[in-house]
Structure formats: structure tokens, C-alpha cells
Amino acid sequence: MYRKQIESYFEKNTEAMVNSIARLVDIPSVREAELPGKPFGEGPAAALAEALKMGQEMGFETRNIDNYAGVIEMGGEAKVAILAHLDVVEPGDGWDTDPFKMVMKDDGRIYGRGTSDDKGPAVAALYAMAAVREICPDLGGVRLVLGCAEETGSECMDYYMKKEPLPTMVFSPDAEFPVINIEKGGYGPRFSMSWEKETAEPRVISFVGGKTPNIVPGKATAVVAGLDASAVSKTADALNSGAVFTVAEDKGTVTILCEGKPAHASTPEEGINAQTALLKLLASLPLADGVSADAVRRLNRLFPHGDWQGEAIGIKMADDISGSLTLAFSVIDMNETGFTALFDSRVPICGNEDNVAAVAEKNLKAEGFTVDSSHMRPPHHVPEDSVFVRTLLKAYEKYSGRKGECIAIGGGTYVHEVEGGVAFGCTMPGTETNLHGANESMPVEELVLSGEMFAEVILELCGK
């Protein structure tokens, strides 16, 4: 009914929308040390102030929630909330342009930190609200909530939800299209073991794998005493692990570097886990009997190379809606007197504390490991047959010309803790934005398309 009017609005205001995005991208809003009245530092507070100023300039009501979050809204009781965030990750190296100076290039993309995550989408949502107001001046019930700490754990949203209730229909343009209605849960305890320093050889002196729990390690290193390099290389060659081993001997010790393929922990099957490959090699070596050697073999039993579904530790499971549990043994730091380690598992809807956390903890303890008990983050699921989700999918199909469907992911979005919340945009399937990497960018055409869909959804849900 309103498509021509929506498209006309964005055609007239595309340049203004891009300029608004530039105002936010140009503010380095990486979280920093807390300041008085600014819980996440100067940058996020400055970005929030600028965003609320834009909302005021466009005639909307605004509120600053103690610099944790801000609200831009069309009056009346809120029926729909849109959650976006203004904080960004560190720029890192490798940029072709200044990451905090938005640049429009001939390829139709805007470049800069936050163009796709999540300042560009936040502004697209703001302009969708402006389009709706122009088309139906008396319509209300829409709230754009802008958080300031999504990249560091969404403390901003936790604070906001304690201050103000959210409506039953919530979406976040902080992911991909079409609609993400299922986000797996998570479980990953820290576990450890200690022992007295041993002298028998051969033995493992050190074993260091990944440092980040949610990344499948691409490299791991170990030092072994009492073996020669040729013996270690021969064993490594026989493993057929898919990883590459480099072995160097020096003064009675052998250093082993294992190189695999890194991947996100939500998709461990896409990587080659260097940590488990090296663990397999260490467990295959003729180590002298002792607690340390026993620990290596026990770890290898629980986390065998290639087991990314948690079968060995007893938590393999799957359901038809959200798929399989995935597991990445991702962190270990072992020395001559013990180790600490972590794994990352993404848990489908059928998983819970009893059949995941309790089982894994029991099996870890059965191998003699000490477990720092931690609760499982529950899965998030919004039924795809709800009026809300069907409205989002209908708008997606109408404006994109593509099939609308719900998808499940192993990661988490800004609405994981929001009952009834789903992720909707802004990245189209197949589009690469270099999210969190150098030269982050976003096609302007997709931001316009997103804004048009958001406007359609607002009109459909708030106009009834």
C-alpha cells in the first residue's frame, strides 16, 4: 500500500542518510575506561549525544538513559522497538582509509568503522521512522533504542531493560537478513589440573593453544623433553590430522609448532583445530608414565581431534529446528605443574543445564579435572509462525525479491536476552562487509533497502 511513498522518501533522502551516518562514524566510539556519568568512556557517550541530537533535529522525542543507552521515539505506547548500538570495536590495522572518517567510494559503498556494525543500520532505522512520520503523521508506537556497549557484552541493554520495559515486538538490525529467530545457547566452563613437577622423560614441558574461547585455534605450540625431532616428526606424519607440524630440536628439547585453520567457534567444522591436532600428537608420543602424561591422554579422550559435536565428552545432540550442538576445544595453557583450559559449545534448543552442563562437568571431573562451575546460556527461540515474524518476512520478500525464511545461528545477537526479539538485517545474504576487520564497509543500496523494509514493517505493525 505504501511502497511507492516509502521508496520516494528514501530516493529523496539517501544523501542525507549517508551524511547522518558520517556524523556517527567520525566519532571513535570504542569503549574505554569509565568516566563520571559516562560508564563506557568518552567515545560512546559522544556518539550517543550526536545520535540523539539527530533525532531531535528530525522532530522526534529523545531520552538519554544515563549514557548506557538512548531512545528516539514516535510518541504513544510502544508497539515496536528497534535495538541498535553505537559502540564499535577497535579499528585495528590494514585500513586503506581513516577508519574514523567515513568515505564514499565509486563501488557504491561507504567505508569506516561502524558503517555496517552498527551505526549505518541504526541510521537506516531512524530514517525509516522519518519516512513513516511523513507518510502517516499521526502514527506512533515506535521506539529506537541505541545502546553503547554491545561489543563488550551488552551491559547497556541489561541496564536499559531494568529501567524501561520493551514491547512484545522487538528486532535488531545488527545481523543479517532474512530473519534470525533462533540463537543457540552456550556453555564453556574453565577447568584445570595441577601436579608436582616431574623429572622423568620423555615429558611435556609446555603446551599452549588458543587464547580466545570463541575462536578455533589456528596455531598451537608444545615443548617436549627427552625425544629427538625425527621421532616426533615421524609420529606427526602418521596422524593425518589435516594440520601442519614444524619440529625443531634444541639442547635436549623439541619444540612443535602446529598450524591448522582458524574459524569461529560457532562453525568449528570450517576450521582445523591446531590445539586438538597437537594434543593428538602429544598423546601419541611415548611419554613417561606420570600425572602430566596421564593428563594429556585424558584431555585427548575428552576432546579428540575432529570431534566438533561434543560426542566424546557426552553432550552430542541435535534437533530439527536449531541443528547440532557444536564444540571447540579452544584454550589451553599447560606448564610443568598443571594446566588451565576452556572449551566453547553452542547448544541447540533441546539442550539445557541437565543434559549439557551437568553431563560435561561430570565427565570432566571423572577424568580428575577441577571445574569452575558455570551456568549455560540458554538458547533463544521465537516461533516463526508469529504475526510479528511473518510481517518481517513478508516485507523482506516484497522489497528484496528474495525468499524470506527464518534461520538459526550459533552466535548471539543483540536480542539474545530479549524475549520475543529477532534479528532483521541489515546485511543481505552473500554480502561481505569486513565486519570487525579492516576496511569495514556497507553498500548504500542495502542500507536504503533496509530502511524501506523497516518503514514497511512499522506501518504494518503500528498502523493496526
Side-chain angles (χ1 to χ4, degrees):
M1 181 186 301
Y2 298 106
R3 181 168 184 173
K4 287 186 178 180
Q5 293 162 281
I6 292 172
E7 291 178 338
S8 175
Y9 174 86
F10 276 94
E11 184 178 354
K12 292 183 297 183
N13 289 280
T14 296
E15 183 177 355
M17 184 180 74
V18 170
N19 290 337
S20 294
I21 296 171
R23 289 169 61 178
L24 295 180
V25 172
D26 292 357
I27 299 172
S29 52
V30 178
R31 182 174 182 169
E32 296 176 334
E34 180 178 359
L35 297 171
K38 299 174 181 178
F40 311 120
E42 186 64 46
L48 179 60
E50 188 67 17
L52 295 180
K53 180 180 178 182
M54 287 193 294
Q56 294 163 2
E57 292 169 354
M58 298 170 79
F60 294 113
E61 301 171 24
T62 67
R63 295 193 303 283
N64 186 325
I65 313 299
D66 302 329
N67 275 322
Y68 279 81
V71 177
I72 300 174
E73 62 184 352
M74 297 167 66
E77 182 180 357
K79 297 180 180 179
V80 175
I82 305 170
L83 308 186
H85 67 90
L86 301 174
D87 60 308
V88 296
V89 299
E90 293 277 0
D93 300 323
W95 286 78
D96 297 330
T97 59
D98 184 341
F100 293 122
K101 191 70 177 177
M102 197 202 78
V103 175
M104 177 81 177
K105 293 190 177 182
D106 293 340
D107 60 2
R109 289 172 173 258
I110 50 175
Y111 289 77
R113 181 59 86 221
T115 50
S116 67
D117 181 32
D118 192 31
K119 294 175 178 178
V123 172
L126 176 60
Y127 274 74
M129 292 169 60
V132 169
R133 189 187 55 190
E134 180 173 286
I135 295 167
C136 295
D138 297 328
L139 186 144
V142 187
R143 182 188 302 170
L144 174 59
V145 182
L146 301 170
C148 294
E150 187 273 344
E151 300 291 2
T152 53
S154 298
E155 182 183 346
C156 51
M157 198 50 55
D158 293 339
Y159 186 89
Y160 173 77
M161 289 191 294
K162 291 176 182 177
K163 293 286 185 177
E164 299 187 359
L166 286 167
T168 57
M169 296 183 289
V170 181
F171 73 85
S172 177
D174 188 30
E176 300 85 34
F177 288 117
V179 170
I180 297 172
N181 73 318
I182 295 173
E183 300 174 23
K184 291 181 179 179
Y187 177 67
R190 181 181 299 274
F191 59 101
S192 61
M193 189 177 188
S194 60
W195 52 82
E196 295 293 327
K197 185 176 178 179
E198 300 169 331
T199 58
E201 295 182 355
R203 72 177 188 276
V204 177
I205 294 177
S206 66
F207 173 23
V208 178
K211 298 185 182 299
T212 306
N214 66 348
I215 299 295
V216 174
K219 292 183 179 181
T221 306
V223 178
V224 178
L227 289 174
D228 60 65
S230 61
V232 174
S233 295
K234 184 177 180 180
T235 304
D237 292 342
L239 291 182
N240 193 27
S241 64
V244 177
F245 294 93
T246 303
V247 180
E249 188 171 349
D250 180 42
K251 297 179 181 179
T253 64
V254 173
T255 299
I256 311 165
L257 170 63
C258 180
E259 296 181 271
K261 178 184 176 183
H264 195 274
S266 64
T267 54
E269 70 279 8
E270 295 180 3
I272 299 173
N273 192 321
Q275 180 169 303
T276 56
L278 183 50
L279 178 61
K280 182 178 181 180
L281 172 57
L282 296 176
S284 301
L285 296 175
L287 301 176
D289 290 339
V291 182
S292 63
D294 199 34
V296 167
R297 297 179 186 119
R298 291 178 182 220
L299 284 168
N300 189 56
R301 283 200 295 269
L302 288 179
F303 304 103
H305 185 58
D307 177 13
W308 50 266
Q309 293 185 312
E311 182 173 9
I313 201 172
I315 57 175
K316 180 179 180 179
M317 63 182 65
D319 58 53
D320 293 337
I321 300 176
S322 56
S324 301
L325 180 145
T326 61
L327 183 146
F329 184 32
S330 49
V331 175
I332 190 166
D333 187 352
M334 177 183 288
N335 57 35
E336 292 191 87
T337 59
F339 76 84
T340 58
L342 290 162
F343 68 84
D344 180 301
S345 66
R346 307 301 168 104
V347 183
I349 294 171
C350 60
N352 54 50
E353 290 279 350
D354 292 335
N355 62 14
V356 176
V359 172
E361 185 169 331
K362 176 184 176 181
N363 289 331
L364 286 165
K365 289 181 176 178
E367 294 290 358
F369 303 145
T370 299
V371 183
D372 294 342
S373 298
S374 61
H375 293 291
M376 191 188 90
R377 186 187 193 194
H380 178 79
H381 177 215
V382 179
E384 62 181 272
D385 59 355
S386 68
V387 172
F388 174 49
V389 173
R390 289 204 309 267
T391 300
L392 298 178
L393 292 174
K394 180 181 175 183
Y396 175 78
E397 291 186 339
K398 180 177 178 179
Y399 284 83
S400 73
R402 306 190 191 194
K403 176 178 172 54
E405 59 186 352
C406 288
I407 55 178
I409 63 171
T413 76
Y414 209 19
V415 293
H416 191 97
E417 307 297 336
V418 178
E419 185 176 356
V422 300
F424 183 56
C426 272
T427 305
M428 294 294 290
T431 296
E432 177 55 60
T433 64
N434 286 349
L435 180 75
H436 290 186
N439 300 316
E440 177 184 344
S441 68
M442 188 71 185
V444 173
E445 182 180 26
E446 290 189 17
L447 288 171
V448 169
L449 183 62
S450 298
E452 291 171 350
M453 286 189 267
F454 299 161
E456 176 85 10
V457 166
I458 292 169
L459 286 163
E460 282 289 321
L461 295 174
C462 296
K464 295 181 179 180

